[in-house]
């Protein structure tokens, strides 16, 4: 079994090799001749992007996702609409009962 020092040396050697490969690829002045763009292909980033693209293909609706959607999308919209309706109805009631003079009304030119 390798000792912790050997594990640390192996990690350092792998990291140095990756760093050397990265700099060799990024600073290659002739990369355009091979059709390369000078970027390094990152397998982890490619997997992440593929996962993001295919997320909806593998989505399974559950009760938890339904609750999250209701609490973050539907409920705030419905609550805001209800507050607007209540405030406008109260203002309209004040206008109709004469509690607010015509010169003090909001939106009287619409």
């Amino acid at each position: 079994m390798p000792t912790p020092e050997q594990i640390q040396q192996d990690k350092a050697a792998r990291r140095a090799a990756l760093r050397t490969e990265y700099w060799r690829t990024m600073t290659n002045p002739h990369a355009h001749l091979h059709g390369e763009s000078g970027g390094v292909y990152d397998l982890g980033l490619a997997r992440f992007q593929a996962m993001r693209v295919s997320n909806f293909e593998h989505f399974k609706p559950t009760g938890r996702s339904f609750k999250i959607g209701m609490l973050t999308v539907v409920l705030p919209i419905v609550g805001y609409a209800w507050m607007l309706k209540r405030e406008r109805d109260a203002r309209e009631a004040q206008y109709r009962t004469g509690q607010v003079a015509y010169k003090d009304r909001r939106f009287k030119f619409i």
Side-chain angles (χ1 to χ4, degrees):
M1 178 151 178
T3 64
E5 292 82 21
Q6 290 173 341
I7 294 172
Q8 200 170 21
Q9 289 173 355
D10 290 344
K11 281 175 118 177
R14 278 194 306 257
R15 196 172 343 160
L18 285 172
R19 185 181 305 120
T20 304
E21 176 67 21
Y22 174 78
W23 281 112
R24 188 182 62 77
T25 305
M26 289 300 291
T27 58
N28 182 6
H30 306 293
H32 66 283
L33 295 175
H34 304 293
E36 300 173 4
S37 63
V40 178
Y41 181 74
D42 187 357
L43 187 60
L45 184 60
R47 285 182 182 159
F48 175 74
Q49 289 172 339
M51 182 269 308
R52 293 289 300 246
V53 168
S54 64
N55 186 26
F56 289 111
E57 295 172 9
H58 302 290
F59 175 73
K60 294 182 179 116
T62 61
R64 181 175 182 268
S65 63
F66 175 75
K67 288 179 200 173
I68 290 172
M70 289 296 286
L71 291 174
T72 59
V73 176
V74 177
L75 197 63
I77 293 172
V78 170
Y80 186 64
W82 177 72
M83 287 174 22
L84 283 176
K85 173 94 170 96
R86 197 179 84 191
E87 190 266 333
R88 285 185 179 190
D89 287 348
R91 192 173 350 123
E92 184 67 24
Q94 287 178 344
Y95 293 164
R96 289 183 182 268
T97 57
Q99 295 175 359
V100 178
Y102 183 77
K103 65 180 179 131
D104 297 330
R105 289 184 182 184
R106 295 170 47 189
F107 310 116
K108 60 186 168 189
F109 298 115
I110 295 177

